[in-house]
Amino acid sequence: MDIAALLTSAGINIAVCVVLFSLYSILRKQPSNVNVYFGKRLASRSSKSRDLCLDRFVPSPTWVMKAWETTQEEMLTTGGLDAVVFSRMVVFSIRVFSVAAVICTILVLPVNYYGRDRKHKNIPFESLEVFTIENVKEGSEWLWAHCLALYIITLTACTLLYFEYKCITNLRLLHITSSQPNPSHFAILVRGIPWSPDQSYCETVKKFFSFYHPSTYLSHQIVYKSGSVQKLKDDAEYMCKMLSSGCGSMEQTCKPSFAQCYFCGGSTNSFKIISNETDSIHGRTGYSDVHLNARKKECAAAFVFFKSRYAALTVAQSLQTSNPMLWVTDLAPEPQDVYWSNLCIPYKQLWIRKITTFAASVTFVLVFLIPVTFAQGLTQLDKLEKMFPFLTGMLQKKFVIQLVTGYLPSVILVLFLYAVPPVVMLFSTMEGCVSRSERKTSACSKFLYFTIWNVFFVNVFAGSVISQLAVFSSLTELPAQLAKAVPAQATYFTTYVLSSGWASLAFEIMQLFPLFCNLFQRFILGYNEDTINGFLTFPYHTEVPRILLFGFLGFTCSILAPLILPFLLFYFVLAYLVYRNQILNVYIKKYDSGGQLWPIAHNTTVLSLLVAQVIALGVFGIKQSPVASGFTFPLLICTVLFHQYCRQRFLPIFKNNATQVLIDMDRRDERCGRMEQIYEQLTSAYCQFSSSNQSECFSSQGEREDVRTPQDMEKANEMTEDISWPPVIHSFDKPVKGGK
């Protein structure tokens, strides 16, 4: 591939980006698209202007300035700690590759270009291999420039990683200590509850924790079966009862009744259509029937509440019985973060599910080799002509050659990669994750490893090497194999950054699928109300792997093919603006993992540095430079030691809550007299069903096993209707600051 083919790919992507960004700046001003581009504003019920003016139809860069001027505090308030962490990933990449671009342009690029005594063509007709380390002759004394650049890039990356890790750790501690009382700090999730023929799960949980934790146990809430199959089964049973009871009982059943949900304290209206998929037997039976049928719907899982944060932490981290498969305790996720569908999975099945998911993931990776190999084969015109002889005449044209080698391979790979996120999300769901953030984090890790393997390693070793897997037959030959293959594919990675990077940002800001759905509803169905679409949470499981993949390509190719760095740097700057705009205007924060994505980013960055150093070690060996090879070994060792230090210093804070912090929070709430108010709200915090369908909620308190009358529940509802979670923290209370 020559410079002209690269410029062709860049020109196509620049044109696509300019058109889409201009179109976005116009569409975002239209009142009919407020639910597409301002979902956060619509969710907060902010007013919108419908005045007709010419400015609505003229492209403008006002959104760029707003995204640029937004502070970290505003990002934290709007998108939560996860949004801040994601933004800092992008900022970290901008800083690192700014230094890398300057160093490699000054030191590495001239050495690569003049590495051999050859007659150079005009720049547009020069082959891209001339700008890579392949053009440096063996035994060259100028390879010290590549080694020096590698040292500077590694030192810069490790320094910035340390300060970012330290800063995000402090933000996480501040997120825990300065926030209002969180019900998840007082609750644990218990799974593997032993079954007893004499008593229900609810009674078993109460007796166990009342006996072994009598001083700290407060109450509990059993998890009930609530899947789609269970709802269909309940509806079928209810229909049978209705048909057998006659018309008189049917009329009596259809009368509207407003009663309080016995199990979670919410109000319910039984006057509903049976065909509604969210309507089930739970809200249509009497209290005696509920009490009799509750045991059939109980799962071997429960949320147990304690009187202090420290007590909950102690129980969650300790082994309850001599059998580790029974009474398994973990810290409970936040109420909005609970993934209820997986709570009823028997704990003994989890290890089988993980093995099955791992096998399915490996199979999916192997199957995906087919489109990846096909996309990579488009860069080799000679093989393409042999496979498709009828294309021989067309492939002789200059523009077609530039289009096929510089644009189509990366576009085809990008299109196939769009099918991966739903699959990895399905795998993460099958694993049995009990929280939405855990499921998204698991999908993020799977998608990250998948893209790094298929985009980098499969493309590097495409052909006979990957088919025979000979590259892994001996680890000692791996650096040499990478040293031969990576520089040859560096130009492909450059075009991949253009097609997958720049264009993906343009499609992200356009929100094409929600925009199409909105247009279909308004102009085809005639529905003119502004409704919030279902794609409002930020897709961290796809965007974090994309950012880290480009960082991986940048580190591994920085000294081998420095031309990738300017395109990569422009991508990160554009991503900084686009993603901040989306977080501020489009996506709504439904839950927050507390910055759990940063350890993934840290580990991937360190892996990128190690792979880059291994490749450099192999290149220096092939180029017969023992001095550069000798200086690379200490760099590898120091990078590994740095990674281990960060794991010991910062990672435990992301795994568990600190005892010191939780005790200080407990004492603060006791001094302010808020503990009783918190206790009252704990039992209703984890409602298994949505607020619009609270009649289905079968959550029970361990201390209230008697069936209450509607009058008693109505009275209790009047006493607590003015109290909302979380309790209000008065202005004179000072939050406890997280230590460094």
Side-chain angles (χ1 to χ4, degrees), residues 695-713:
S695 60
E696 297 180 5
C697 191
F698 258 72
S699 304
S700 66
Q701 303 176 30
E703 300 169 355
R704 303 178 182 178
E705 298 180 359
D706 57 314
V707 179
R708 299 178 295 176
T709 63
Q711 291 79 9
D712 294 335
M713 290 182 288

Side-chain angles (χ1 to χ4, degrees), residues 173-298:
L173 291 173
L174 191 62
H175 169 76
I176 296 174
T177 57
S178 64
S179 61
Q180 293 181 338
N182 192 329
S184 64
H185 294 166
F186 296 85
I188 67 169
L189 176 62
V190 182
R191 290 179 290 178
I193 303 173
W195 181 82
S196 173
D198 301 327
Q199 58 187 8
S200 64
Y201 284 123
C202 181
E203 296 169 344
T204 302
V205 172
K206 180 181 179 181
K207 290 183 179 179
F208 181 86
F209 286 95
S210 297
F211 184 80
Y212 291 104
H213 305 278
S215 60
T216 58
Y217 167 71
L218 182 64
S219 63
H220 72 275
Q221 179 175 308
I222 290 292
V223 177
Y224 288 81
K225 300 175 183 178
S226 60
S228 301
V229 176
Q230 182 66 30
K231 290 181 180 180
L232 292 175
K233 180 181 177 181
D234 293 341
D235 289 336
E237 292 177 356
Y238 179 66
M239 289 297 298
C240 292
K241 291 181 180 179
M242 289 182 62
L243 294 176
S244 61
S245 61
C247 298
S249 60
M250 186 181 299
E251 293 177 358
Q252 184 179 2
T253 305
C254 293
K255 293 181 180 180
S257 63
F258 297 89
Q260 185 180 14
C261 177
Y262 163 59
F263 294 102
C264 65
S267 62
T268 178
N269 179 8
S270 61
F271 191 80
K272 294 182 180 179
I273 301 175
I274 298 174
S275 60
N276 189 349
E277 66 176 0
T278 61
D279 191 19
S280 73
I281 189 66
H282 303 310
R284 298 189 293 268
T285 54
Y287 293 102
S288 59
D289 294 335
V290 169
H291 189 71
L292 294 175
N293 296 330
R295 185 177 178 182
K296 298 180 180 179
K297 306 178 189 302
E298 287 182 344

